[in-house]
């Protein structure tokens, strides 16, 4: 019977393997599209670096959300994570703006409108 820790480790290894396979598939597709060849050791190395980068990015995003007093990561956290790369930060900002414009109004968070005074109420003042 697996303990919670062993189960977490096996899940992490499964995700790592799937991530590496996806990264290798993307690298192969891009190489083919560009008419280039990439050796297996290079693809494996790139996949491992991408996994480590993504793992660190996830930790950073979690810290940004926690610092902001939230339990969930938002788009501002993602943009903040790219602050060292101006081009990436600009691309992410543009992408997030496009997503917000495509999002239906009903799904956006709306601020509550201030309560209107009840016109039917009678106000008695001391004379």
């Amino acid at each position: 019977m697996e303990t919670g820790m062993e189960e977490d480790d096996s899940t992490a290894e499964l995700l790592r393997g799937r991530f590496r396979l996806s990264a290798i598939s993307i690298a192969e597709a891009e190489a083919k599209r560009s008419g280039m060849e990439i050796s297996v050791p290079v693809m494996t190395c790139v996949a491992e670096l991408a996994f480590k980068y993504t793992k660190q990015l996830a930790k950073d995003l979690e810290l940004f959300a926690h610092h902001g007093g939230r339990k969930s990561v938002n788009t501002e956290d993602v943009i903040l994570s790219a602050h060292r790369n101006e081009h990436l930060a600009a691309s992410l900002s543009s992408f997030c703006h496009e997503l917000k414009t495509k999002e239906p109004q009903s799904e956006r968070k709306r601020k509550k409108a201030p309560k209107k005074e009840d016109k039917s109420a009678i106000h008695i003042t001391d004379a």
Side-chain angles (χ1 to χ4, degrees):
M1 184 171 161
E2 287 187 8
T3 65
M5 191 80 123
E6 290 172 345
E7 194 172 298
D8 288 346
D9 288 345
S10 65
T11 300
E13 281 304 310
L14 178 66
L15 291 173
R16 181 183 190 146
R18 288 180 179 176
F19 185 94
R20 288 181 70 194
L21 284 174
S22 295
I24 290 169
S25 294
I26 292 168
E28 287 174 337
E30 287 299 310
K32 185 177 180 180
R33 188 178 64 81
S34 301
M36 298 175 64
E37 288 186 30
I38 300 177
S39 68
V40 173
V42 170
M43 279 192 289
T44 304
C45 183
V46 168
E48 186 62 26
L49 287 172
F51 181 79
K52 287 180 180 180
Y53 175 78
T54 304
K55 192 173 176 181
Q56 184 60 50
L57 178 62
K59 288 177 184 177
D60 290 346
L61 292 172
E62 183 179 13
L63 287 172
F64 293 155
H66 180 71
H67 180 74
R70 292 174 274 103
K71 292 182 179 181
S72 301
V73 172
N74 63 24
T75 54
E76 287 79 21
D77 298 326
V78 176
I79 294 168
L80 180 61
S81 71
H83 73 279
R84 289 191 182 111
N85 184 335
E86 290 178 23
H87 178 71
L88 179 58
S91 294
L92 286 171
S93 293
S94 176
F95 180 72
C96 288
H97 179 70
E98 287 176 24
L99 285 178
K100 286 180 183 178
T101 58
K102 291 178 181 178
E103 184 178 301
Q105 178 65 32
S106 61
E107 292 183 19
R108 292 186 197 166
K109 288 185 177 178
R110 293 188 225 162
K111 292 184 179 178
K112 291 183 179 179
K115 292 183 179 179
K116 295 180 183 178
E117 288 187 29
D118 188 3
K119 294 180 182 180
S120 63
I122 300 172
H123 297 284
I124 301 174
T125 59
D126 292 337

Coordinates of all heavy atoms in Angstrom, one line a residue, residues 11-62:
T11 N 3.1 10.4 -8.7 CA 2.4 11.4 -9.5 C 3.3 12.4 -10.2 O 3.2 12.7 -11.3 CB 1.3 12.1 -8.7 OG1 0.4 11.1 -8.2 CG2 0.5 13.1 -9.5
A12 N 4.3 12.9 -9.4 CA 5.3 13.8 -9.9 C 6.1 13.2 -11.0 O 6.4 13.9 -12.0 CB 6.2 14.3 -8.7
E13 N 6.5 12.0 -10.9 CA 7.3 11.3 -11.9 C 6.5 11.1 -13.2 O 7.0 11.3 -14.3 CB 7.8 10.0 -11.4 CG 9.1 10.1 -10.6 CD 10.2 10.9 -11.3 OE1 10.5 10.6 -12.4 OE2 10.7 11.8 -10.6
L14 N 5.2 10.8 -13.0 CA 4.3 10.6 -14.1 C 4.2 12.0 -14.9 O 4.3 12.0 -16.1 CB 2.9 10.1 -13.7 CG 1.9 10.0 -14.8 CD1 2.3 8.9 -15.8 CD2 0.5 9.7 -14.2
L15 N 3.9 13.1 -14.2 CA 3.8 14.4 -14.8 C 5.1 14.8 -15.4 O 5.1 15.3 -16.5 CB 3.4 15.4 -13.7 CG 2.0 15.3 -13.2 CD1 1.8 16.3 -12.1 CD2 1.0 15.5 -14.3
R16 N 6.2 14.5 -14.8 CA 7.6 14.8 -15.4 C 7.7 14.1 -16.7 O 8.2 14.7 -17.7 CB 8.6 14.4 -14.4 CG 10.0 14.8 -14.9 CD 11.0 14.3 -13.8 NE 12.3 14.8 -14.2 CZ 13.3 15.1 -13.3 NH1 13.0 15.0 -12.0 NH2 14.4 15.6 -13.7
G17 N 7.4 12.8 -16.7 CA 7.5 12.0 -18.0 C 6.7 12.6 -19.1 O 7.1 12.7 -20.2
R18 N 5.4 12.9 -18.7 CA 4.5 13.4 -19.7 C 5.0 14.8 -20.3 O 4.9 15.1 -21.4 CB 3.1 13.5 -19.2 CG 2.4 12.2 -19.0 CD 1.0 12.4 -18.5 NE 0.4 11.1 -18.3 CZ -0.8 10.9 -17.8 NH1 -1.5 11.9 -17.3 NH2 -1.3 9.7 -17.7
F19 N 5.5 15.6 -19.3 CA 6.0 16.9 -19.7 C 7.2 16.8 -20.7 O 7.3 17.4 -21.7 CB 6.4 17.7 -18.5 CG 6.9 19.1 -18.8 CD1 6.0 20.2 -18.7 CD2 8.2 19.4 -19.2 CE1 6.4 21.4 -19.0 CE2 8.6 20.7 -19.4 CZ 7.7 21.7 -19.4
R20 N 8.1 15.9 -20.3 CA 9.3 15.6 -21.2 C 8.9 15.1 -22.6 O 9.4 15.6 -23.6 CB 10.2 14.6 -20.5 CG 11.0 15.2 -19.3 CD 11.9 14.3 -18.7 NE 13.0 14.1 -19.6 CZ 13.9 13.1 -19.5 NH1 13.8 12.2 -18.5 NH2 14.9 13.0 -20.3
L21 N 7.9 14.2 -22.6 CA 7.4 13.7 -23.9 C 6.8 14.8 -24.7 O 7.1 14.9 -26.0 CB 6.4 12.6 -23.7 CG 7.0 11.2 -23.3 CD1 5.9 10.2 -23.0 CD2 7.9 10.7 -24.4
S22 N 6.1 15.7 -24.1 CA 5.4 16.8 -24.8 C 6.5 17.8 -25.3 O 6.4 18.2 -26.5 CB 4.5 17.6 -23.9 OG 3.4 16.7 -23.5
A23 N 7.5 18.1 -24.5 CA 8.6 19.0 -24.9 C 9.3 18.4 -26.1 O 9.7 19.1 -27.0 CB 9.5 19.3 -23.7
I24 N 9.6 17.1 -26.0 CA 10.4 16.5 -27.1 C 9.5 16.5 -28.4 O 10.0 16.8 -29.5 CB 10.8 15.0 -26.7 CG1 11.9 15.1 -25.6 CG2 11.2 14.2 -27.9 CD1 12.2 13.8 -25.0
S25 N 8.2 16.2 -28.3 CA 7.3 16.3 -29.4 C 7.3 17.6 -30.1 O 7.3 17.8 -31.3 CB 5.9 15.9 -29.1 OG 5.9 14.5 -28.6
I26 N 7.3 18.7 -29.2 CA 7.3 20.1 -29.7 C 8.6 20.4 -30.4 O 8.6 20.9 -31.5 CB 7.0 21.1 -28.6 CG1 5.5 20.9 -28.1 CG2 7.3 22.5 -29.0 CD1 5.2 21.6 -26.8
A27 N 9.7 20.0 -29.8 CA 11.0 20.2 -30.4 C 11.1 19.5 -31.8 O 11.6 20.1 -32.7 CB 12.1 19.7 -29.4
E28 N 10.7 18.2 -31.8 CA 10.7 17.5 -33.1 C 9.9 18.2 -34.2 O 10.3 18.3 -35.3 CB 10.2 16.1 -32.9 CG 11.2 15.2 -32.2 CD 10.7 13.8 -31.9 OE1 9.4 13.6 -31.8 OE2 11.5 12.9 -31.7
A29 N 8.7 18.6 -33.8 CA 7.8 19.3 -34.8 C 8.4 20.6 -35.3 O 8.3 20.9 -36.5 CB 6.4 19.5 -34.1
E30 N 9.0 21.4 -34.3 CA 9.6 22.6 -34.7 C 10.8 22.4 -35.6 O 11.1 23.2 -36.6 CB 9.9 23.5 -33.5 CG 8.7 24.1 -32.8 CD 8.0 25.0 -33.7 OE1 8.6 25.9 -34.3 OE2 6.7 24.9 -33.8
A31 N 11.6 21.4 -35.3 CA 12.8 21.1 -36.1 C 12.4 20.7 -37.5 O 12.9 21.1 -38.5 CB 13.6 20.0 -35.4
K32 N 11.3 19.9 -37.6 CA 10.8 19.4 -38.9 C 10.3 20.6 -39.7 O 10.6 20.7 -40.9 CB 9.7 18.4 -38.7 CG 9.2 17.8 -40.0 CD 8.2 16.7 -39.7 CE 7.7 16.1 -41.0 NZ 6.7 15.0 -40.7
R33 N 9.6 21.5 -39.0 CA 9.0 22.7 -39.7 C 10.1 23.6 -40.2 O 10.0 24.2 -41.3 CB 8.1 23.4 -38.7 CG 7.3 24.6 -39.3 CD 6.4 25.3 -38.3 NE 7.2 25.9 -37.2 CZ 7.7 27.1 -37.3 NH1 7.6 27.8 -38.5 NH2 8.3 27.7 -36.3
S34 N 11.2 23.6 -39.5 CA 12.3 24.5 -39.8 C 13.4 23.8 -40.7 O 14.3 24.4 -41.2 CB 13.1 25.0 -38.6 OG 12.2 25.7 -37.8
G35 N 13.1 22.5 -41.0 CA 14.1 21.8 -41.8 C 15.4 21.5 -41.1 O 16.4 21.4 -41.8
M36 N 15.3 21.3 -39.8 CA 16.5 21.1 -39.0 C 16.5 19.7 -38.4 O 15.4 19.1 -38.3 CB 16.7 22.1 -37.9 CG 16.9 23.5 -38.5 SD 16.9 24.7 -37.1 CE 18.4 24.2 -36.3
E37 N 17.6 19.2 -37.9 CA 17.6 18.0 -37.1 C 18.1 18.3 -35.7 O 19.0 19.1 -35.5 CB 18.5 17.0 -37.8 CG 18.0 16.4 -39.0 CD 18.9 15.3 -39.6 OE1 19.5 14.6 -38.8 OE2 18.9 15.1 -40.8
I38 N 17.5 17.7 -34.7 CA 18.0 17.8 -33.3 C 18.3 16.4 -32.8 O 17.5 15.5 -32.9 CB 16.9 18.5 -32.4 CG1 16.5 19.8 -33.0 CG2 17.3 18.6 -31.0 CD1 15.3 20.5 -32.2
S39 N 19.5 16.3 -32.2 CA 19.9 15.0 -31.6 C 19.1 14.7 -30.4 O 18.6 15.6 -29.7 CB 21.4 15.0 -31.3 OG 21.6 15.9 -30.2
V40 N 19.0 13.4 -30.1 CA 18.2 13.0 -29.0 C 18.7 13.5 -27.6 O 18.0 14.0 -26.8 CB 18.1 11.4 -28.9 CG1 17.5 10.9 -27.6 CG2 17.4 10.9 -30.1
P41 N 20.1 13.5 -27.4 CA 20.6 14.1 -26.2 C 20.2 15.6 -26.0 O 19.9 16.0 -24.9 CB 22.1 13.9 -26.2 CG 22.3 12.9 -27.2 CD 21.2 12.9 -28.2
V42 N 20.2 16.3 -27.1 CA 19.9 17.8 -27.0 C 18.4 17.9 -26.7 O 18.0 18.7 -25.8 CB 20.2 18.5 -28.3 CG1 19.7 19.9 -28.3 CG2 21.7 18.6 -28.5
M43 N 17.5 17.1 -27.3 CA 16.1 17.2 -27.0 C 15.8 16.9 -25.6 O 15.0 17.5 -24.9 CB 15.3 16.3 -27.9 CG 15.1 16.9 -29.3 SD 13.9 15.9 -30.2 CE 14.7 14.5 -30.6
T44 N 16.5 15.8 -25.1 CA 16.3 15.4 -23.7 C 16.8 16.5 -22.7 O 16.1 16.8 -21.7 CB 17.1 14.1 -23.4 OG1 16.7 13.1 -24.4 CG2 16.9 13.6 -22.0
C45 N 17.9 17.1 -23.1 CA 18.4 18.2 -22.2 C 17.4 19.4 -22.2 O 17.1 20.0 -21.2 CB 19.8 18.7 -22.7 SG 20.5 19.9 -21.7
V46 N 16.9 19.8 -23.4 CA 16.0 20.9 -23.5 C 14.7 20.6 -22.7 O 14.2 21.4 -22.0 CB 15.6 21.2 -25.0 CG1 14.5 22.1 -25.1 CG2 16.9 21.8 -25.7
A47 N 14.2 19.3 -22.8 CA 13.0 18.9 -22.1 C 13.2 19.0 -20.6 O 12.4 19.5 -19.8 CB 12.6 17.5 -22.5
E48 N 14.4 18.6 -20.1 CA 14.7 18.6 -18.7 C 14.8 20.1 -18.2 O 14.3 20.4 -17.1 CB 16.0 17.9 -18.4 CG 16.3 17.7 -16.9 CD 15.3 17.0 -16.1 OE1 14.6 16.1 -16.7 OE2 15.2 17.2 -14.9
L49 N 15.5 20.9 -19.0 CA 15.6 22.3 -18.6 C 14.2 23.0 -18.6 O 13.9 23.8 -17.7 CB 16.5 23.1 -19.6 CG 18.0 22.8 -19.4 CD1 18.7 23.5 -20.6 CD2 18.5 23.3 -18.1
A50 N 13.4 22.7 -19.5 CA 12.0 23.2 -19.6 C 11.2 22.8 -18.4 O 10.5 23.6 -17.8 CB 11.3 22.8 -20.9
F51 N 11.4 21.5 -18.0 CA 10.7 21.0 -16.8 C 11.1 21.8 -15.5 O 10.3 22.2 -14.7 CB 10.9 19.5 -16.6 CG 10.2 18.9 -15.5 CD1 8.8 18.7 -15.5 CD2 10.8 18.7 -14.3 CE1 8.1 18.2 -14.4 CE2 10.2 18.2 -13.2 CZ 8.8 17.9 -13.2
K52 N 12.4 21.9 -15.4 CA 13.0 22.6 -14.2 C 12.5 24.1 -14.2 O 12.2 24.6 -13.1 CB 14.5 22.5 -14.2 CG 15.0 21.1 -13.8 CD 16.5 21.1 -13.8 CE 17.0 19.7 -13.4 NZ 18.4 19.5 -13.4
Y53 N 12.5 24.7 -15.3 CA 12.1 26.1 -15.4 C 10.6 26.2 -15.0 O 10.2 27.1 -14.2 CB 12.3 26.7 -16.8 CG 11.7 28.0 -17.0 CD1 12.4 29.1 -16.5 CD2 10.5 28.2 -17.6 CE1 11.9 30.4 -16.6 CE2 10.0 29.5 -17.7 CZ 10.6 30.6 -17.2 OH 10.1 31.8 -17.3
T54 N 9.8 25.3 -15.5 CA 8.4 25.3 -15.2 C 8.1 25.0 -13.8 O 7.2 25.7 -13.1 CB 7.6 24.3 -16.1 OG1 7.9 24.5 -17.5 CG2 6.1 24.3 -15.9
K55 N 8.9 24.2 -13.2 CA 8.7 23.9 -11.7 C 9.0 25.1 -10.9 O 8.3 25.4 -10.0 CB 9.7 22.7 -11.4 CG 9.4 22.1 -10.1 CD 10.3 20.9 -9.9 CE 10.2 20.3 -8.5 NZ 11.1 19.1 -8.4
Q56 N 10.1 25.8 -11.3 CA 10.5 27.0 -10.5 C 9.4 28.1 -10.8 O 9.1 28.9 -9.9 CB 11.9 27.5 -11.0 CG 12.3 28.7 -10.2 CD 12.4 28.5 -8.7 OE1 13.0 27.5 -8.3 NE2 11.9 29.3 -7.9
L57 N 8.9 28.2 -12.0 CA 7.9 29.2 -12.3 C 6.7 29.0 -11.5 O 6.1 29.9 -10.9 CB 7.5 29.1 -13.8 CG 6.4 30.1 -14.3 CD1 6.8 31.5 -14.1 CD2 6.1 29.8 -15.7
A58 N 6.3 27.7 -11.3 CA 5.1 27.4 -10.5 C 5.3 27.8 -9.0 O 4.4 28.4 -8.4 CB 4.8 25.9 -10.5
K59 N 6.5 27.6 -8.5 CA 6.8 28.1 -7.1 C 6.8 29.6 -7.0 O 6.2 30.1 -6.1 CB 8.2 27.6 -6.7 CG 8.3 26.1 -6.5 CD 9.7 25.7 -6.1 CE 9.8 24.2 -6.0 NZ 11.2 23.7 -5.7
D60 N 7.3 30.3 -8.0 CA 7.3 31.8 -8.0 C 5.9 32.3 -8.1 O 5.5 33.2 -7.3 CB 8.1 32.3 -9.2 CG 9.6 32.1 -9.1 OD1 10.0 31.8 -8.0 OD2 10.3 32.3 -10.1
L61 N 5.0 31.7 -8.9 CA 3.7 32.1 -9.0 C 2.9 31.9 -7.7 O 2.1 32.8 -7.3 CB 3.0 31.4 -10.2 CG 3.5 31.8 -11.6 CD1 2.8 30.8 -12.6 CD2 3.2 33.2 -11.9
E62 N 3.2 30.8 -7.1 CA 2.5 30.5 -5.8 C 2.9 31.6 -4.8 O 2.1 32.1 -4.0 CB 2.9 29.1 -5.3 CG 2.2 28.7 -4.0 CD 2.6 27.3 -3.6 OE1 3.6 26.7 -4.1 OE2 2.0 26.8 -2.7

